Amino acid sequence: MQTNKTNEIPIMSAQSNHCFSLLFVLSLLSVSPFTGESRPPFACDPRNGVTRNMVFCKANHPIHVRVSDLIGRLTLPEKIRLLVNNAAPVPRLGINGYEWWSEALHGVSNVGPGTRFGGAFPGATSFPQVITTAASFNASLWEEIGRVVSDEARAMYNGGVAGLTYWSPNVNIFRDPRWGRGQETPGEDPVVAGKYAASYVRGLQGNVGNRLKVAACCKHYTAYDLDNWNGVDRYHFNARVSKQDLEDTFDVPFKMCVMEGHVASVMCSYNQVNGKPTCADSDLLRNTIRGQWRLNGYIVSDCDSVGVYYDTQHYTSTPEEAAADAIKAGLDLDCGAFLAEHTEVAVQRGLLREPDVNLALANTITVQMRLGMFDGEPSAQPYGRLGPNDVCTPAHQELALQAARQGIVLLQNREHSLPLSNTRYRTVAVVGPNSDATITMIGNYAGVACGYTSPLQGIGRYVRTIHQPGCVDVACIGNQLFGAAIGAAQQADATVLIMGLDQSIEAEFKDRVGLLLPGRQQELVSRVALASRGPTILVLMSGGPVDVSFAKNDPRIAAILWAGYPGQAGGTAIADVLFGRTNPVSA
């Protein structure tokens, strides 16, 4: 190498320059163009001489041919290790391990192990909880939210921090209002739930032929609306359902999800239906989902549900029988380790045939190929250039705000008390355990939000506020803070009480025993309303319904709003409704 003495800049020969350029290009190929971090290796890397000419790596071949070729190269132990959510790598074929479990109920979530936040992806847009968005009755909104969520999901996948298979949405019928997970669902109406399912799934999965942007999953099939109530939990629950109720109610959203939304996956539930575990019921899985509805995708168990029907429900005598029953019934993937641990012995004992295993794998691998996971260089594929700049964009956050505005419901408005005038009511008391809520607003199965605007902050953009929580938390066990809250209401021109629930009251594995406001919240509302020198507005945050008959019948409470769990922009949306910038849905 020669040196330019004047500037001390190395000058390379043509040969060394060529070598440097080649090394530079190769180094770029191994680094994520978005994060600067080393990108995980990918299947069917064109630089891999071992797999380059294998049929399953040829993107121009029909998918069923590629799937058959790949399955034909796997040994039985390799196949079995692919039957679970944390699928094992097959190094000799250049296939890396894959985590199937990611969640995107109302934004990319880190509930499942397939997704993590940090580095270039500190958060993602957190939309209102599903029960809130469903209250808009706006199918185009539901689909647009799905499109945005899948943009952010693909961006995170490209950055190596997320998968492409999202076990969302939850489209169970919210039949019992005490169910802790009702907040995740579109509600009690089968047709509305079905329209929501089809719309959100179309947004998530895209509409480019047979290709998938991400693979969605409608869950939990079927007749599941109990987690832990009155000594009965979901692991022991046997839903006794007539054929008509199954057909006309519980199955409607799933049928619409498959037949209209063309979802890539359905998840079976923990519970039994008429004495049979859903994940071992061939009539439900193989005959209905795949046979009648023609699912083009895979069927996955809820996490550990195969183990549950062996260990807890004692449905089979041996674990091998449980594994065989699941696969023969039509289950393709186990969220959990049960199939990985017991399937091989089930085959050896003649309880299951290897072609049964092949069929399950064909369904999962087909979805992976539709996602492009065996098409080589990810950045050269559709959506391959999405990155950190495509997450938490101003447009995405504006959509979260619009969704929150459209989901708020006006339950009562005496004498046209709303909207409030910020010239007439210059000082507003903001009271209640959810008055300065942030994380509460995103409900469960959420991720890390881009940022929050609490109700207190939102109202503070319109008027001067006097803030008093009134209760330590939503449990509201004591009345120690009541005096300060009453004093605030006496000083202000108007009072806004923001009450309701949070995940300590209603959640997965936490059903309610009643529908009243928790603890002494009702007393706080009544006492503050009595003391308020101006109009009192009650705002409810909750996923499940709350009985506020006392407030409806209290002439001192001028208006009642239900905000659900309104997402990261919930405080802005609530304030915009209170002060008339936008109109709520009317009940």
Side-chain angles (χ1 to χ4, degrees):
M1 184 180 293
Q2 299 175 337
T3 304
N4 182 317
K5 298 292 185 180
T6 304
N7 297 311
E8 298 295 316
I9 298 174
I11 299 174
M12 299 180 182
S13 66
Q15 182 178 5
S16 62
N17 187 50
H18 174 75
C19 292
F20 172 81
S21 299
L22 179 61
L23 289 171
F24 180 70
V25 170
L26 289 175
S27 69
L28 284 180
L29 288 174
S30 65
V31 175
S32 165
F34 309 115
T35 66
E37 300 171 355
S38 178
R39 185 178 59 199
F42 50 88
C44 298
D45 189 332
R47 297 166 296 174
N48 185 334
V50 175
T51 61
R52 184 167 49 225
N53 295 317
M54 291 182 178
V55 172
F56 74 84
C57 284
K58 295 187 180 295
N60 59 348
H61 281 49
I63 285 180
H64 72 275
V65 173
R66 299 170 66 195
V67 170
S68 179
D69 176 73
L70 175 54
I71 292 175
R73 297 176 186 274
L74 297 170
T75 66
L76 180 60
E78 288 171 339
K79 293 174 183 177
I80 289 169
R81 288 193 292 270
L82 297 178
L83 294 174
V84 292
N85 65 289
N86 56 338
V90 187
R92 67 183 184 85
L93 296 178
I95 298 172
N96 307 295
Y98 178 69
E99 177 54 68
W100 285 83
W101 181 8
S102 290
E103 301 278 356
L105 183 67
H106 52 109
V108 179
S109 167
N110 56 352
V111 169
T115 303
R116 64 185 186 276
F117 291 105
F121 299 95
T125 308
S126 192
F127 291 89
Q129 182 59 286
V130 175
I131 193 70
T132 308
T133 306
S136 71
F137 293 94
N138 186 344
S140 61
L141 172 68
W142 304 334
E143 185 167 342
E144 182 63 12
I145 291 173
R147 186 194 64 76
V148 166
V149 172
S150 59
D151 272 358
E152 298 195 351
R154 266 285 178 172
M156 293 180 68
Y157 170 76
N158 293 339
V161 295
L164 288 177
T165 46
Y166 288 85
W167 293 348
S168 305
N170 179 343
V171 296
N172 289 117
I173 297 300
F174 192 4
R175 174 165 278 193
D176 191 321
R178 297 165 296 186
W179 186 31
R181 299 188 73 177
Q183 59 184 289
E184 303 171 29
T185 77
E188 73 280 8
D189 185 281
V191 175
V192 172
K195 286 184 179 295
Y196 178 89
S199 301
Y200 187 60
V201 166
R202 281 194 295 264
L204 284 176
Q205 295 190 164
N207 56 359
V208 185
N210 194 43
R211 289 193 69 96
L212 293 168
K213 188 178 181 186
V214 303
C217 173
C218 280
K219 64 184 186 184
H220 313 79
Y221 183 73
T222 184
Y224 166 51
D225 67 347
L226 178 147
D227 266 68
N228 188 15
W229 182 83
N230 199 30
V232 180
D233 64 40
R234 61 190 182 181
Y235 307 126
H236 297 86
F237 179 50
N238 177 26
R240 300 186 182 277
V241 186
S242 70
K243 288 184 178 181
Q244 180 176 350
D245 212 8
L246 199 63
E247 177 76 19
D248 292 348
T249 304
F250 294 107
D251 281 4
V252 171
F254 294 95
K255 183 178 182 179
M256 294 175 69
C257 186
V258 174
M259 300 188 72
E260 297 179 22
H262 306 291
V263 75
S265 176
V266 174
M267 176 183 286
C268 52
S269 54
Y270 290 111
N271 58 287
Q272 297 183 351
V273 173
N274 299 325
K276 197 166 188 177
T278 63
C279 292
D281 192 330
S282 60
D283 187 54
L284 293 178
L285 307 189
R286 190 175 301 282
N287 296 344
T288 301
I289 297 176
R290 196 170 297 284
Q292 295 178 28
W293 301 344
R294 311 299 297 172
L295 172 71
N296 180 17
Y298 69 97
I299 299 175
V300 60
S301 74
D302 205 342
C303 294
D304 299 316
S305 60
V306 180
V308 164
Y309 74 67
Y310 168 67
D311 291 317
T312 304
Q313 299 174 5
H314 307 297
Y315 181 70
T316 63
S317 300
T318 68
E320 293 77 22
E321 289 173 326
D325 282 359
I327 293 174
K328 288 191 294 185
L331 189 73
D332 304 308
L333 186 71
D334 179 20
C335 179
F338 198 89
L339 291 188
E341 294 170 351
H342 301 293
T343 301
E344 188 167 4
V345 176
V347 173
Q348 292 170 354
R349 293 182 179 175
L351 300 171
L352 188 68
R353 300 178 305 119
E354 188 168 352
D356 296 321
V357 175
N358 293 346
L359 184 58
L361 283 182
N363 291 325
T364 55
I365 295 172
T366 295
V367 167
Q368 289 181 311
M369 289 195 176
R370 292 171 64 198
L371 288 163
M373 294 175 65
F374 289 87
D375 290 353
E377 173 59 48
S379 65
Q381 299 177 37
Y383 319 112
R385 302 305 298 177
L386 293 171
N389 291 336
D390 300 293
V391 180
C392 288
T393 68
H396 293 181
Q397 296 192 64
E398 176 63 22
L399 184 65
L401 173 57
Q402 291 295 337
R405 286 170 172 165
Q406 292 185 37
I408 295 174
V409 180
L410 178 66
L411 299 177
Q412 178 170 279
N413 192 18
R414 294 181 191 274
E415 300 178 359
H416 307 290
S417 300
L418 291 179
L420 297 174
S421 166
N422 61 351
T423 56
R424 182 179 179 184
Y425 305 108
R426 296 178 179 274
T427 301
V428 172
V430 183
V431 175
N434 281 332
S435 57
D436 200 21
T438 53
I439 292 176
T440 294
M441 296 192 299
I442 62 177
N444 71 348
Y445 276 79
V448 177
C450 309
Y452 296 99
T453 302
S454 73
L456 176 64
Q457 291 171 323
I459 294 169
R461 293 173 179 174
Y462 284 91
V463 292
R464 189 174 75 86
T465 59
I466 305 172
H467 178 232
Q468 289 294 335
C471 303
V472 174
D473 51 32
V474 296
C476 201
I477 295 172
N479 65 355
Q480 304 93 321
L481 304 181
F482 281 20
I486 291 168
Q490 290 171 334
Q491 297 175 50
D493 300 322
T495 299
V496 177
L497 284 149
I498 304 178
M499 314 299 287
L501 314 178
D502 64 14
Q503 301 307 300
S504 70
I505 305 296
E506 56 174 354
E508 184 170 12
F509 218 69
K510 186 175 289 186
D511 299 332
R512 289 183 291 161
V513 295
L515 298 180
L516 299 178
L517 285 168
R520 303 180 73 166
Q521 282 195 42
Q522 179 172 325
E523 179 187 352
L524 175 64
V525 171
S526 297
R527 291 179 63 180
V528 167
L530 179 63
S532 180
R533 72 174 190 177
T536 299
I537 314 300
L538 174 61
V539 179
L540 298 168
M541 273 193 204
S542 69
V546 178
D547 181 351
V548 288
S549 302
F550 79 96
K552 178 178 181 292
N553 297 322
D554 187 340
R556 293 161 301 213
I557 295 177
I560 305 173
L561 291 170
W562 176 81
Y565 293 125
Q568 64 176 48
T572 300
I574 289 169
D576 288 348
V577 169
L578 290 172
F579 290 95
R581 182 172 180 179
T582 189
N583 289 325
V585 176
S586 176

